[in-house]
Amino acid sequence: MEHFIDGKRHGGPGRTADVYNPATGQVAKQVLLASAEDVATAVEAAELALPGWRATGLSKRSAIMFKVENIIRERTPELAAIITAEHGKVLSDAAGEVARGLENVQFCAGLMHHMKGEFLEQAATGVDVHQTRQPVGVVACITPFNFPAMVPLWMITTAIAAGNTVILKPSERDPSAAVWIAEAFAEAGLPPGVLNVVHGDKEAVDELLTNPLVKAVSFVGSTPIAKYIYETSAQHGKRVQALGGAKNHMVVMPDADLDGAADAAISAAYGSAGERCMAVSVLVTVGDVADPLIERLKERIAKLTIGDGTDPASEMGPLITRAALDRVNGYVTGAEAEGATVVVDGTQQEFDGEGFFTGVSLLDHVRPGMKAYDEEIFGPVLSVVRVDTYEEAVRLINTNQFANGVAVFTRDGKTARQFEFEIEVGMVGVNVPIPVPIGAFSFGGWKNSLFGDTHMYGPEAFNFYTRRKLVTTRWPEPSESQINLGFPTH
């Protein structure tokens, strides 16, 4: 897989990495890994394209967004197949990812509204003040493997709509969707150099973080890397938003609909093999609901179909790599030694072939201090933590280092309102297991789930990708001119 620089595929000699089909475990292609020089070439192309794109009328930018949305929507099956081939998620899940990404394209098509400034007449006698939004410049977007289409569409669409030029660095594990999207933008009329794609590893990332022409960096990934991205970018004077890891809890109150809660937990914990930053990984059972809820979970787990993502019968596909498979299974095989109970051991499920498959696992009697609770597993493992009271559940969640998403399942409105008020997490669901906001709002957590102060996509993204410029205007008569060394007042 080649880079996409200045409107065309960009190849050449250099280091490469294997791209696997996770369902077969076989190498499907090679991806080029950009050198620092390759990245610098892309940055220079983006810098050269910046003046022209910034001067492009907002109506033309909006028209390109509408065209991109139509192209991607009409060809969603094609893009979904690319995602499934390299990530492994089932085709319906891949198509759903594309649909959620298109929400942001639709939002950005209204850029004439989002880019509006402010005007204040007669701030002082004969003095008017207005504020405009202007692009920050060349923007780097570094995206994760688990959503190879949705997260790029969260970032690049807003950055481009705001008048910036972009270097997109997708995961080298599933790189093809990013190039497909870049070519869709080109087909929609985006000028060369406005959107560039470079593949790579730490060498490419470090060049983006330190290159003085790059003015802002957006990132989604694990917490250790998010912290590194944030600190390195800030040291080099860049604006940065870096979304990190998660440990999303789902609280089930004694009055909850247990069948509905079980369905939601299964869907949120095991969808996309748990490789979602908003996946539910901890089920917090309050009072006596644990045993009946676990029985319902076991019944549903036994009926799940795991297989190749291209098979319409499959509900869950493989993990992304062999290393991910070994790491995830390690949490299950080591759980009993730490005092947990393995209710369902997915590591024992057998699969044909060499794909990176594992079954789903359910752990009970998990507590803080155990690896399965403390660390982000990023796989199909659901842990049950038993607590006696609502207050204990809130305290458990609020002391966790991660604060991306959380949910509460209850029939009581007072409990739901109290939970919303007290919980220290960025995205909250009430009887909604995965509370990812619609495109008109912004996505992001708190604590070690976000480094920076700006959330992803939606209104906050337009704040991140623009700078506000304040202009104060006065048109005095010549007779009013005078020297005054005092501090100006109104």
Side-chain angles (χ1 to χ4, degrees):
M1 174 55 61
E2 299 171 311
H3 312 301
F4 185 86
I5 299 175
D6 204 20
K8 55 184 179 296
R9 297 280 184 114
H10 183 88
R15 296 180 302 128
T16 62
D18 293 334
V19 178
Y20 288 86
N21 180 336
T24 66
Q26 302 302 308
V27 175
K29 64 181 67 171
Q30 299 280 314
V31 60
L32 283 172
L33 299 179
S35 65
E37 292 75 18
D38 293 327
V39 175
T41 298
V43 172
E44 289 168 6
E47 178 72 10
L48 288 172
L50 181 62
W53 180 242
R54 183 196 163 186
T56 299
L58 299 189
S59 60
K60 184 172 182 179
R61 293 188 212 168
S62 181
I64 290 173
M65 294 297 156
F66 279 114
K67 290 180 182 178
V68 166
E69 198 254 342
N70 287 331
I71 290 169
I72 296 177
R73 185 173 301 283
E74 290 174 0
R75 294 165 58 189
T76 290
E78 179 184 338
L79 180 54
I82 290 171
I83 295 169
T84 295
E86 294 183 356
H87 175 274
K89 64 179 65 175
V90 300
L91 284 169
S92 60
D93 193 19
E97 168 186 345
V98 175
R100 292 307 301 264
L102 285 177
E103 286 185 10
N104 191 54
V105 183
Q106 294 166 348
F107 183 79
C108 290
L111 60 92
M112 283 198 182
H113 172 74
H114 307 312
M115 290 293 289
K116 287 190 302 187
E118 296 178 307
F119 187 91
L120 179 64
E121 183 182 58
Q122 202 71 353
T125 303
V127 176
D128 300 329
V129 180
H130 71 272
Q131 179 177 275
T132 64
R133 291 178 179 268
Q134 295 184 348
V136 297
V138 178
V139 171
C141 298
I142 304 169
T143 58
F145 75 85
N146 59 324
F147 288 105
M150 184 181 74
V151 175
L153 289 173
W154 283 2
M155 295 181 186
I156 65 173
T157 309
T158 315
I160 290 169
N164 303 280
T165 54
V166 176
I167 311 298
L168 171 60
K169 208 300 287 183
S171 171
E172 64 276 18
R173 299 176 189 175
D174 46 6
S176 299
V179 173
W180 190 98
I181 290 170
E183 292 179 335
F185 268 92
E187 183 179 336
L190 191 70
V194 177
L195 174 58
N196 308 274
V197 179
V198 293
H199 309 292
D201 50 16
K202 188 174 185 298
E203 181 177 349
V205 170
D206 284 345
E207 174 63 21
L208 290 171
L209 304 186
T210 58
N211 191 302
L213 295 178
V214 176
K215 303 302 182 184
V217 177
S218 295
F219 172 81
V220 173
S222 68
T223 286
I225 304 302
K227 185 176 182 181
Y228 172 78
I229 296 284
Y230 179 74
E231 292 176 346
T232 306
S233 299
Q235 287 171 1
H236 288 83
K238 304 183 192 306
R239 180 177 295 191
V240 56
Q241 55 177 183
L243 276 64
K247 198 70 180 178
N248 304 311
H249 298 69
M250 175 176 153
V251 178
V252 181
M253 297 297 296
D255 67 335
D257 174 0
L258 293 189
D259 287 313
D263 289 342
I266 293 290
S267 303
Y270 303 132
S272 197
E275 292 177 326
R276 294 171 175 163
C277 64
M278 287 293 284
V280 167
S281 56
V282 180
L283 200 58
V284 184
T285 58
V286 180
D288 297 327
V289 303
D291 289 338
L293 183 58
I294 286 173
E295 287 305 311
R296 286 167 169 80
L297 294 174
K298 289 166 58 180
E299 292 172 4
R300 288 158 172 78
I301 287 172
K303 299 175 183 177
L304 292 178
T305 302
I306 303 171
D308 192 319
T310 61
D311 185 344
S314 297
E315 296 171 279
M316 190 187 98
L319 292 166
I320 184 72
T321 62
R322 175 70 62 186
L325 174 64
D326 294 341
R327 179 181 54 79
V328 169
N329 283 348
Y331 286 99
V332 180
T333 57
E336 285 191 349
E338 292 191 295
T341 301
V342 180
V343 179
V344 178
D345 187 349
T347 69
Q348 299 302 305
Q349 186 169 347
E350 296 182 355
F351 299 90
D352 295 331
E354 300 298 321
F356 309 138
F357 289 97
T358 188
V360 304
S361 295
L362 178 64
L363 310 179
D364 191 12
H365 302 291
V366 176
R367 302 182 307 275
M370 298 180 181
K371 288 181 64 178
Y373 179 82
D374 293 344
E375 299 178 11
E376 184 180 28
I377 298 176
F378 225 64
V381 180
L382 179 61
S383 299
V384 177
V385 177
R386 299 178 181 229
V387 299
D388 294 326
T389 65
Y390 163 87
E391 290 77 15
E392 190 178 349
V394 170
R395 186 164 55 250
L396 175 80
I397 296 165
N398 284 352
T399 55
N400 194 277
Q401 65 165 318
F402 299 112
N404 208 41
V406 69
V408 61
F409 276 68
T410 179
R411 291 170 171 165
D412 180 58
K414 185 176 185 297
T415 299
R417 186 183 185 281
Q418 185 177 356
F419 185 84
E420 174 188 343
F421 182 78
E422 294 177 338
I423 211 69
E424 297 173 6
V425 177
M427 292 171 284
V428 181
V430 177
N431 299 315
V432 175
I434 304 180
V436 176
I438 62 172
F441 291 87
S442 296
F443 176 101
W446 294 1
K447 301 180 185 176
N448 281 348
S449 295
L450 173 69
F451 295 85
D453 60 359
T454 308
H455 290 174
M456 198 74 64
Y457 72 75
E460 289 194 44
F462 273 96
N463 289 334
F464 180 77
Y465 292 120
T466 59
R467 296 179 293 181
R468 265 68 72 201
K469 178 180 285 185
L470 193 70
V471 181
T472 303
T473 305
R474 179 171 179 256
W475 300 97
E477 296 292 337
S479 60
E480 297 180 67
S481 178
Q482 60 180 313
I483 296 175
N484 184 349
L485 302 187
F487 193 83
T489 64
H490 301 308

